[in-house]
Amino acid sequence: MSPTPAVPELRPLAMGEMIDRAATFWRAHLKPLFVMSFGFSLVNYIVTKVAMLTTQRLAPLLYTGDAQSRGQMDPTQLMGQAGVAMALWGVLFVFLFWSYWLATMTASKYVVSVHLGEPVGPADALRRAFSRVVPMTGAYVISMGWSTLVTVLCLVPGALFGGLAFAAAVNGSNVMGAALGIIAALLAGLGAIAAMLWYFLRFMLLPPVMATEDVGAWEAFRRSGALLSGRVEPGFLGRVVVRAMILYTVMSLILISVQLVSQIPSWVVMAQYGSPFDAATMSRTPQYVLVPVELLQVFVQAGLTPIYFVFCSLFYLDMRVRREALDLERRMEAPPASPQAA
């Protein structure tokens, strides 16, 4: 099957070529990708805004005064409100990740279908995603449980050094306790970063699998892990996990840069009422001023975030081409070309 502009060629891609093709596809299909992404981005913004306003209402001590005045508050009341805030933000965190999976699955259906020569519209991609929401939620629950175990294991070294720091402080060795405490904090931070990176890499291909293959939650969990295991080329860079880590890092840097740039207008607005990095400033800033710039941020992110969804879909296709000869399979299934008229 010869490649056409509407049907990109299926073949193994080099790492740089994959990023270039993701950007090219994103530019060529910006409108449908934006349409699919904007709805999820808007819902995420609304839910986040409601959670933030609810937290400000239920835990006002966290959003008023400076650090010195907070230190003079009733510790019991302050800790209680902090617990309520952590619970609300924990629920928000779980929802946002679930929504991210659903958005990735929707875009993956669109991107993969175009590459397989069977393009679908945004509405069809959304219908496919919502028809698979139950098994996707099951796979999401499995991933959260698995990641919780990995996170605990990654935090063990920091916890051990934290225990040693506490023991040293109790025994009167303040210098040793402080040194061990710093080491514990560094190990805990690195462990948390490692756990988060592991989560995104391990389940990077699960939404495309759910979008394009009729498998259940556990089968999708195993299938995505199998596609990311082993190696596809000789050498260190031939390991799939290494390739995925390098490409994911590049894409993450792009998205983080976009996120920071898109937040500049809200920082400028909040700067009129205090430091934009202080929680109290956010509560002091009038919502009629803050909401318009935040909606602008949502608009920008909805246009640029799909490039990551495209990358995940291309990586999924690349793994199937390299491991399962998907390109040859599609060529064999293609109808024979009609003979040229004399």
Side-chain angles (χ1 to χ4, degrees):
M1 183 169 58
S2 60
T4 67
V7 183
E9 181 186 9
L10 282 178
R11 58 180 176 82
L13 299 176
M15 289 191 290
E17 189 178 13
M18 188 176 299
I19 295 175
D20 179 72
R21 179 171 289 196
T24 301
F25 186 94
W26 167 73
R27 290 195 302 267
H29 299 262
L30 181 59
K31 182 177 179 179
L33 290 172
F34 173 81
V35 169
M36 290 182 286
S37 178
F38 181 73
F40 291 103
S41 299
L42 185 60
V43 170
N44 292 343
Y45 167 72
I46 294 173
V47 173
T48 302
K49 196 69 175 179
V50 170
M52 183 196 70
L53 295 176
T54 303
T55 304
Q56 292 178 3
R57 185 179 183 86
L58 298 179
L61 296 181
L62 302 179
Y63 293 88
T64 57
D66 53 20
Q68 182 177 0
S69 59
R70 291 194 191 103
Q72 298 172 354
M73 296 175 184
D74 182 7
T76 304
Q77 188 178 8
L78 185 61
M79 291 182 63
Q81 293 191 12
V84 171
M86 290 180 63
L88 284 173
W89 289 110
V91 173
L92 176 65
F93 175 85
V94 171
F95 172 80
L96 291 179
F97 267 86
W98 179 85
S99 177
Y100 152 79
W101 273 36
L102 191 60
T104 307
M105 189 165 65
T106 302
S108 296
K109 177 61 179 176
Y110 177 85
V111 176
V112 173
S113 297
V114 171
H115 279 80
L116 295 183
E118 303 166 354
V120 299
D124 296 321
L126 281 169
R127 278 194 291 268
R128 169 64 177 178
F130 280 101
S131 70
R132 301 281 290 159
V133 73
V134 173
M136 187 215 74
T137 303
Y140 176 66
V141 172
I142 294 174
S143 75
M144 293 300 289
W146 202 255
S147 65
T148 299
L149 177 61
V150 172
T151 301
V152 171
L153 293 176
C154 290
L155 295 178
V156 166
L160 291 176
F161 274 88
L164 293 175
F166 178 78
V170 169
N171 292 329
S173 180
N174 295 330
V175 176
M176 179 63 69
L180 291 174
I182 294 174
I183 296 175
L186 290 174
L187 290 177
L190 291 175
I193 294 174
M196 182 170 292
L197 180 61
W198 175 88
Y199 179 86
F200 281 106
L201 290 178
R202 170 58 180 83
F203 300 109
M204 181 175 67
L205 298 185
L206 206 153
V209 169
M210 294 293 297
T212 57
E213 303 180 26
D214 294 322
V215 294
W218 181 248
E219 290 80 4
F221 174 82
R222 298 183 59 185
R223 170 86 168 137
S224 61
L227 288 174
L228 281 168
S229 63
R231 63 172 65 247
V232 292
E233 291 179 357
F236 178 72
L237 294 180
R239 296 190 62 84
V240 178
V241 173
V242 176
R243 292 170 61 88
M245 184 181 300
I246 294 173
L247 291 170
Y248 174 78
T249 301
V250 173
M251 297 304 301
S252 297
L253 291 175
I254 295 174
L255 293 180
I256 290 173
S257 301
V258 171
Q259 177 78 12
L260 292 176
V261 172
S262 65
Q263 286 183 342
I264 290 177
S266 61
W267 290 344
V268 172
V269 169
M270 287 191 294
Q272 309 301 317
Y273 302 90
S275 172
F277 307 105
D278 186 2
T281 303
M282 185 177 297
S283 64
R284 288 194 299 265
T285 306
Q287 293 301 318
Y288 67 84
V289 175
L290 191 57
V291 168
V293 294
E294 289 177 339
L295 288 176
L296 175 62
Q297 178 181 339
V298 170
F299 188 88
V300 173
Q301 290 178 354
L304 296 175
T305 301
I307 191 174
Y308 174 77
F309 302 154
V310 175
F311 158 71
C312 290
S313 304
L314 290 181
F315 199 92
Y316 164 77
L317 286 171
D318 189 62
M319 288 300 101
R320 290 199 60 186
V321 166
R322 291 174 179 273
R323 294 182 179 276
E324 303 169 358
L326 178 63
D327 53 338
L328 299 180
E329 177 183 333
R330 299 296 297 181
R331 290 173 185 172
M332 293 176 63
E333 293 177 354
S338 58
Q340 296 287 339

